[in-house]
Each structure stands twice: as C-alpha cells, then as structure tokens.
Amino acid sequence: AAAEDGKPMDGISAVIPGWFSEISPMWAGKAYSLKVEEILFQGKSEYQNVMVFQSSTYGNVLVLDGVIQVTERDECACQEMITHLPLCSIPNPRKVLVIGGGDGGVLHEVSRYSFVEQIDICEIDDLVVDVSKKFFPHLAIGFEDPRVNLHIGDGVAFLKSVPEGTYDAIIVDSSDLIDPAQELFEKPFFESVARSLRPGGVVCTQAESIWLHMHIIEDIVNVRRQIFKGSVNYAWTTVPTYPSGVIGFMLCSTEGPPIDFQNPVYNIDEDEKSNESKGPLKFYNSEIHSAAFCLPSFAKRVIEFQ
Ligand code: SAM
C-alpha cells in the first residue's frame, strides 16, 4: 500500500513480502510488481534514492525513487529505440549528446555508429553511474568508448553552455517528470535543445505512456510544435516493466534539411561492423522503426489533429 500522505514510497519500503511494487501517484490505483531474489544495493544520493535488486524473472533491476528505470531483460526495448530512432533518421550523425542515461546503455547503442566522432553525456547523479558499472556492466561498458565525454551535472545547465548548432542529435534519456528530471520536460529546456542542434538536427526524448498520460503528451506536443520548425512526431514501444507496459518518444527536428522520421535513411541492423563489435541488436530493426510511428486511434486524434 502507498504511504498515507499519498507520496511514493522509496524502494525498500515497497518490498512487501519478497516482492517489489512500483507505487506512484503518476499511475495511481495500479502497481507493477516483481519478485525479489536479493537486494544488491540501497543508497541515497543528493538527488534520489537508488536501489538495485535481483529479480527472479527480469535480471537485475535499477530503481530510482521507487520507479523502475532499467531491467536487464527488457532494457533493449527502450535503449535501442530511443537511440536508433533518431540516429537512423539522419545521414552520418557525427556529434551526439545524451542527457541522463547514467546506466550507459544509450552510450553503448550510440557507439555502434563508426561515423559518430563525439559522444557527450550529461548525467546529474554520479551514484547512478557507479552503481551501473557494478551491477549492469554490459550497459555501463558504454562509458568505455574513447569517444565518450562524461559530464556530471544538471542537463538543463549543461545545455545553456553549449555553443549554438553543436550537435547533430540529442537524446534525452530521463526519468519521469518529477525532480530532478522535471525541467527536462519544460519549454526553456527545449529552447536550449533547439539552439544546440545544427539546422536539420534531431532530438529524441522519453515521452511517457499513451495509456497513462495523454494530457501530458498533449501539452508536450504543443510546446514542441512551437519550438521545432522541422517536424514533430510521436513514436512508442513496449517495455513490460514500465508503467502500463509502453513508453513513448518525441522525435523532433530543427528547421533545415527535412527529416522523414518514419523512413530511416540508415540501416544499423545490417551494419556488420556494429554487429561484430557490439553484438546483434535485440529489439530494433528498420520495420519496427517505421511501425513505431503508427498510433492507436485515440492517441492519433490527440497527437496528430490538435
Ligand atoms: N535508460 C533508462 C531507460 O531506458 O529509460 C532509464 C532512464 S535513466 C537511468 C534516467 C537518468 O536521468 C537517471 O540516471 C537520472 O539521474 C537522470 N537525470 C534526471 N534528471 C536529470 C537532469 N536534470 N540532468 C541530467 N540527468 C538527469
């Protein structure tokens, strides 16, 4: 059960007997649960409660402030999509920025592209990075690529200092829109994102669930349309351990060469160098790329015909 004041309970207090239940006012009245084999880590950083447990069915699980961020079994469905949807939509991205993503999984996916020259990451919480290196080594291996520059700090402040037109692509792999990630969903942040992208550059952000947060998505789409004069699109994927089992992405481009997000210009799935050095993709392929932009009618009415 939730705490009496209705606030989400932190990790350990939600382990009721032998199960972890994800309880939050952001998805009131329901909770996803996993059987816990062993709690591997519990700590508190300046920003959030951090917990890692070994589950009986999804491998190791990273939980921040009581909310599941990554499980070993289904992380591919989010990390591969949030990375390859934007990067396969433009020719030869060279400079890529990741905001959040402290587990390293997105970095691992970006490092598949041999033509990417620079991969910057700004994660607010070094405890997430340290814990991921220990308990999610196959994701945190992303930090070992020599093209990666790790900045520990707030993504909002970091972007303000970035010179105009620096990046070909920005990936915002954030937690949900409560602190410390709240500002990563707000208009001033996206004005900085647009300014930091080159003309025709792309941004992909985590954009909540069509089953839970249609009103939030509607607001997000409205703000992005005001800022991104190239195109604004919504895609989605299935992630069993995320609230309601799906997660969305907003894909936007700045004014410049037009980007047709639904029809990828690059096929990373067939890139032999990537498969040889990083192993085959588990989830993403070109067909699922295009399919991800097909929306159920109830979502289409809100997102496409506002
Ligand atoms: N990679 C996962 C996924 O596939 O969805 C999970 C998301 S990732 C672990 C979210 C990260 O965003 C967390 O490590 C959190 O510390 C970070 N974060 C939250 N607010 C931030 C901010 N303002 N600036 C930079 N990073 C932030």
Side-chain angles (χ1 to χ4, degrees):
E4 272 176 25
D5 61 4
K7 289 191 183 141
M9 297 190 297
D10 66 19
I12 183 64
S13 58
V15 179
I16 307 169
W19 287 70
F20 168 82
S21 291
E22 191 185 50
I23 296 164
S24 166
M26 277 206 61
W27 38 90
K30 61 175 88 62
Y32 183 80
S33 298
L34 285 171
K35 189 163 189 280
V36 177
E37 291 295 320
E38 189 186 351
I39 295 178
L40 300 171
F41 178 85
Q42 260 190 297
K44 193 168 167 42
S45 72
E46 199 183 323
Y47 302 100
Q48 53 208 347
N49 292 304
V50 179
M51 178 172 81
V52 180
F53 69 89
Q54 188 199 340
S55 68
S56 61
T57 47
Y58 276 80
N60 289 354
V61 181
L62 172 68
V63 180
L64 299 178
D65 279 345
V67 177
I68 295 173
Q69 303 292 317
V70 170
T71 83
E72 286 184 302
R73 182 167 162 203
D74 66 4
E75 56 80 22
C76 58
C78 187
Q79 321 252 35
E80 291 184 13
M81 292 295 271
I82 201 171
T83 307
H84 304 307
L85 288 176
L87 295 189
C88 289
S89 295
I90 52 174
N92 301 319
R94 299 201 185 283
K95 288 190 180 180
V96 179
L97 170 66
V98 179
I99 303 267
D103 51 78
V106 168
L107 296 177
H108 179 63
E109 292 307 317
V110 177
S111 69
R112 289 179 180 277
Y113 296 78
S114 49
F115 41 80
V116 167
E117 292 162 0
Q118 180 179 329
I119 311 170
D120 295 338
I121 174 167
C122 181
E123 159 63 55
I124 203 165
D125 195 344
D126 55 359
L127 184 58
V128 175
V129 178
D130 293 345
V131 157
S132 300
K133 285 184 177 165
K134 188 154 182 211
F135 298 107
F136 300 87
H138 59 289
L139 301 180
I141 196 169
F143 287 103
E144 286 171 24
D145 189 291
R147 295 166 292 178
V148 169
N149 309 299
L150 170 62
H151 304 264
I152 296 294
D154 179 13
V156 178
F158 179 84
L159 262 190
K160 282 187 191 146
S161 67
V162 166
E164 197 173 329
T166 300
Y167 294 106
D168 299 290
I170 298 178
I171 297 168
V172 186
D173 182 20
S174 70
S175 17
D176 287 313
L177 73 176
I178 37 178
D179 267 347
Q182 171 117 28
E183 281 188 65
L184 299 180
F185 288 82
E186 292 174 359
K187 192 173 179 185
F189 173 69
F190 283 97
E191 286 165 345
S192 300
V193 168
R195 197 188 49 78
S196 307
L197 286 170
R198 63 152 168 87
V202 295
V203 57
C204 181
T205 66
Q206 187 268 81
E208 305 298 344
S209 159
I210 50 174
W211 287 111
L212 295 172
H213 301 124
M214 223 40 239
H215 56 291
I216 297 176
I217 295 169
E218 191 174 0
D219 291 346
I220 294 176
V221 172
N222 280 332
V223 170
R224 308 283 162 98
R225 285 213 174 109
Q226 291 163 26
I227 295 173
F228 293 97
K229 298 300 175 196
S231 65
V232 174
N233 302 263
Y234 192 88
W236 59 300
T237 186
T238 70
V239 182
T241 59
Y242 280 175
S244 84
V246 306
I247 188 81
F249 308 104
M250 287 291 312
L251 287 123
C252 307
S253 63
T254 53
E255 202 166 10
I259 310 298
D260 177 7
F261 282 103
Q262 286 205 42
N263 294 298
V265 294
Y266 185 68
N267 193 335
I268 186 71
D269 198 25
E270 286 177 4
D271 183 320
E272 282 171 24
K273 272 196 208 149
S274 146
N275 287 329
E276 248 169 54
S277 61
K278 312 283 170 196
L281 291 161
K282 291 187 209 139
F283 192 90
Y284 176 92
N285 55 51
S286 295
E287 291 79 31
I288 218 162
H289 179 128
S290 297
F293 293 87
C294 299
L295 302 177
S297 302
F298 74 88
K300 201 170 166 163
R301 270 194 289 277
V302 175
I303 293 169
E304 291 181 6
F305 306 111
Q306 295 180 73

